[in-house]
Amino acid sequence: MLDLEPQRRAKFPGGTVLVYPRADAELVASDWIASAIGAAIDDRGQAVVGLATGSTPIPVYEHLVSLRTSGKLPFDFKSVITYNLDEYYPMSPTDPNSYRAFMDKHLFRRVGLAANRTHVLDGTVPEAYTQHHASDFDRWIAADGGLDLQLLGLGRNGHIGFNEPSDLTVEVALALPTRLVELHPTTRSDAIKDFGTEFDVPRRALTMGIASILAARSILVLAFGSNKADAVAESLMGTMTARMPGSLLQSVARKVTWLVDAESAAKLF
Ligand code: F6R
């Protein structure tokens, strides 16, 4: 285990917050994931991990790859099963902007994870079949024994996965399953850097549901930078509301840990 002291540690309605300089937080996150995987393998013989894409986890995956390359991981990825949070729709897995390609590039290929153990929602399923596919995804997670750890990033608009802000009641939002969704304008605008123009950014995506995320045995949220400060503060200590999906984590706060930096935590203290 890494022995890095956080600059601050505090409990909020949305979970336990650890503040680190970003580079330290990325190291702590990779160590955290490795420990959670090791513990699950010790307990049940396999680890089931929910993964995120986006810019935030890239250095974390890099560290995990280095830990494995330097022989510092006390487990083999043969005992690991992964489920990713989301995928654009429609989207080919061979498209460089697909989340399947992202995960292959940053993690799966580099740690030798077999394709039948890495599950990314399929952006090529026929439209009429998307609900069936999404429900299958939730069933696969359950059949594998549920998620030991879910890694989350946080959108500037507070989305988790691609569960976007909405007017749903909290009760309905908490029960949302994996499904096809419309992307929020902020999410599409943030994706222009990857797709080139707004026109090229998909309008829809398949996302793991709020209920599926909250069912994980533990949840690790990463949020860095001043552009996340509002969403971090509202998620952790604002009213629980579907307008700020990150706030729905308050319903399971005791199993949620947030790794943040001073910039994203600026409105917390
Ligand atoms: C990605 C995902 C999203 C991102 C969020 C933050 O799989 O589900 O919720 O975690 O949009 O993205 P970055 O890390 O690029 O700021």
Side-chain angles (χ1 to χ4, degrees):
M1 273 296 265
L2 260 186
D3 199 14
L4 285 173
E5 257 315 292
Q7 295 167 308
R8 293 188 88 135
R9 178 194 304 265
K11 280 204 191 296
F12 285 90
T16 301
V17 174
L18 304 177
V19 185
Y20 285 97
R22 179 168 182 164
D24 285 358
E26 292 163 352
L27 283 169
V28 170
S30 58
D31 196 58
W32 192 287
I33 296 167
S35 301
I37 291 176
I41 294 174
D42 286 348
D43 283 355
R44 279 182 299 285
Q46 66 173 21
V48 186
V49 190
L51 296 174
T53 59
S55 56
T56 309
I58 292 177
V60 176
Y61 295 147
E62 191 71 46
H63 289 316
L64 265 179
V65 171
S66 307
L67 285 172
R68 175 174 178 269
T69 312
S70 57
K72 293 198 184 120
L73 291 182
F75 59 83
D76 192 313
F77 273 93
K78 286 197 177 72
S79 307
V80 178
I81 299 172
T82 68
Y83 286 91
N84 260 82
L85 280 169
D86 37 28
E87 178 60 282
Y88 292 108
Y89 187 85
M91 177 58 73
S92 160
T94 59
D95 186 318
N97 279 318
S98 73
Y99 284 165
R100 163 58 76 178
F102 175 104
M103 290 308 302
D104 281 345
K105 174 174 164 196
H106 292 289
L107 189 69
F108 298 160
R109 267 206 302 268
R110 301 174 71 193
V111 296
L113 262 163
N116 67 342
R117 302 177 73 84
T118 63
H119 308 291
V120 182
L121 286 152
D122 185 352
T124 70
V125 296
E127 186 149 358
Y129 196 78
T130 49
Q131 194 43 56
H132 192 107
H133 173 57
S135 303
D136 271 349
F137 198 80
D138 282 337
R139 278 193 284 270
W140 299 343
I141 295 174
D144 273 333
L147 298 167
D148 291 298
L149 173 70
Q150 176 63 57
L151 181 65
L152 291 180
L154 185 70
R156 277 194 303 137
N157 59 6
H159 72 203
I160 50 176
F162 278 141
N163 293 283
E164 301 285 26
S166 73
D167 292 331
L168 297 173
T169 63
V170 167
E171 195 190 0
V172 171
L174 289 175
L176 284 171
T178 297
R179 67 205 187 285
L180 183 65
V181 295
E182 300 275 331
L183 293 173
H184 188 270
T186 306
T187 303
R188 293 191 67 237
S189 133
D190 284 350
I192 293 174
K193 62 179 180 337
D194 301 319
F195 287 88
T197 70
E198 193 190 332
F199 178 80
D200 293 312
V201 178
R203 296 190 169 274
R204 293 185 294 172
L206 290 158
T207 184
M208 206 187 275
I210 295 283
S212 328
I213 292 170
L214 299 183
R217 282 186 273 279
S218 65
I219 298 175
L220 183 63
V221 193
L222 308 179
F224 306 127
S226 53
N227 64 344
K228 301 285 173 75
D230 287 323
V232 164
E234 285 174 44
S235 296
L236 276 158
M237 56 187 198
T239 311
M240 188 159 49
T241 164
R243 289 179 189 280
M244 177 53 59
S247 71
L248 299 169
L249 293 165
Q250 292 178 22
S251 66
V252 292
R254 83 204 130 64
K255 60 182 178 183
V256 184
T257 305
W258 293 67
L259 290 176
V260 299
D261 61 4
E263 289 73 19
S264 64
K267 301 194 172 166
L268 280 182
F269 299 102

